[in-house]
Amino acid sequence: MKNFKPYYAVIFTSTQTEINTGYAEMANKMETLAKQQKGYIGMDSAKNEVGITISYWESLEAIKNWKANSQHLLAQQKGREQWYNWYNVRICKVEREYEFSLD
């Protein structure tokens, strides 16, 4: 953990409706757009019955700016109107990390 600097994780957990028209395209667009935002670090995602997307950010300000991005606001609105039955957002500070890899 040499030179580790704490950062933030936004954990977006959701269940979807039966309506998925345009969802994949919007999700790809939002991932591309997020990568262009100041303070963006990375993203992980998994989906079964419940979808979980975790985005990583340098600061709370970067998260606030991403949430307020006009294109992201449109995606949020469409999500509430069409794609999601339920979602939960958690914002966490990552103060330590470690990993394992066979490689």
Side-chain angles (χ1 to χ4, degrees):
M1 287 197 335
K2 192 174 186 178
N3 298 323
F4 178 83
K5 181 179 176 188
Y7 59 93
Y8 293 87
V10 177
I11 306 168
F12 179 80
T13 308
S14 64
T15 58
Q16 289 188 304
T17 66
E18 297 295 319
I19 303 168
N20 62 7
T21 304
Y23 180 81
E25 295 84 357
M26 183 65 82
N28 290 334
K29 182 177 179 181
M30 289 302 102
E31 183 174 357
T32 299
L33 184 61
K35 289 177 181 178
Q36 298 169 6
Q37 303 307 299
K38 182 177 181 188
Y40 174 85
I41 298 171
M43 183 180 295
D44 293 317
S45 185
K47 185 177 177 197
N48 269 322
E49 296 90 36
V50 174
I52 301 173
T53 299
I54 307 170
S55 58
Y56 305 100
W57 301 87
E58 292 177 357
S59 68
L60 291 173
E61 181 180 357
I63 294 167
K64 182 179 174 183
N65 291 339
W66 170 237
K67 181 173 176 38
N69 177 284
S70 62
Q71 292 180 61
H72 189 209
L73 286 169
L74 176 63
Q76 292 170 53
Q77 180 183 354
K78 289 188 89 143
R80 287 188 298 273
E81 292 173 355
Q82 290 183 290
W83 299 316
Y84 297 119
N85 284 316
W86 167 87
Y87 67 79
N88 180 276
V89 178
R90 295 172 181 95
I91 300 174
C92 310
K93 186 174 185 180
V94 179
E95 297 189 9
R96 182 173 176 242
E97 68 177 33
Y98 58 90
E99 69 181 292
F100 166 81
S101 176
L102 287 175
D103 298 333

